[in-house]
Amino acid sequence: MLCPGYVGFLRAGGRVSNAAALAGSLLKLHPCIEILDGYLQVTKKYRGNMGKIVPRLVKEYIMAQKLSMDEIYLIWAPGLSEETKRAAENAAYETGVKKLTWVRTGGVITCHGGPGAFGIAGFADLAK
C-alpha cells in the first residue's frame, strides 16, 4: 500500500522531527509510505496538493509494482475530496485498470495518515 500522509500527523506520532514537519508543511510535502519487508518506510516525497499528486502516484505505483490490471483498491481517509477521488479513478482507468474498489480507512490508518490520506493496493501480476 502507498499512502501520502500529512506531515503534521507524522510529527504527532513521532515519525518525523519538528523541523522536518515544519519544512514539510511549508513546502507542501506528502511522504509516500510503503510497506517493505514488513516495515513502514518513506520511499518518496510528493510536493503539491493532493488533487495533483494522487493521479501521478496512482499511475507510477501501478506501473512500478506491476499490479494486475484486473482490480486495484483505492484507499481513502475522511477528508479526501471527491474531486481527488475522481482524479484517482481517471488515472487508474487511463492506466488500463478494469475494476477498482474504494476502501475507507479505519481509525488506526486515519490517525496515522491524517485527514484526506490516500492509498493504493493491488496484486502483482507475476506474468509481467
Side-chain angles (χ1 to χ4, degrees), residues 30-104:
H30 298 279
C32 176
I33 303 168
E34 291 188 63
I35 300 171
L36 300 172
D37 297 325
Y39 296 96
L40 295 173
Q41 297 180 13
V42 175
T43 57
K44 192 171 186 178
K45 293 177 185 158
Y46 287 88
R47 186 170 181 201
N49 67 37
M50 291 292 279
K52 290 184 180 179
I53 65 172
V54 164
R56 193 172 99 213
L57 179 148
V58 167
K59 290 177 180 180
E60 287 177 1
Y61 193 73
I62 289 171
M63 301 315 282
Q65 299 300 318
K66 299 178 181 147
L67 296 183
S68 169
M69 296 297 181
D70 292 334
E71 182 174 18
I72 63 163
Y73 304 89
L74 301 178
I75 299 112
W76 67 281
L80 187 68
S81 73
E82 290 299 319
E83 184 178 306
T84 301
K85 285 182 177 180
R86 281 192 302 278
E89 287 178 359
N90 291 339
Y93 288 131
E94 286 172 11
T95 308
V97 171
K98 295 178 184 100
K99 178 183 176 189
L100 59 89
T101 302
W102 281 100
V103 180
R104 183 177 172 180

Side-chain angles (χ1 to χ4, degrees), residues 1 18 84 98 101 120 123:
M1 185 174 96
N18 287 338
T84 301
K98 295 178 184 100
T101 302
I120 180 172
F123 294 98

Side-chain angles (χ1 to χ4, degrees), residues 21-34:
L22 178 62
S25 293
L26 291 173
L27 296 173
K28 294 184 180 180
L29 292 177
H30 298 279
C32 176
I33 303 168
E34 291 188 63

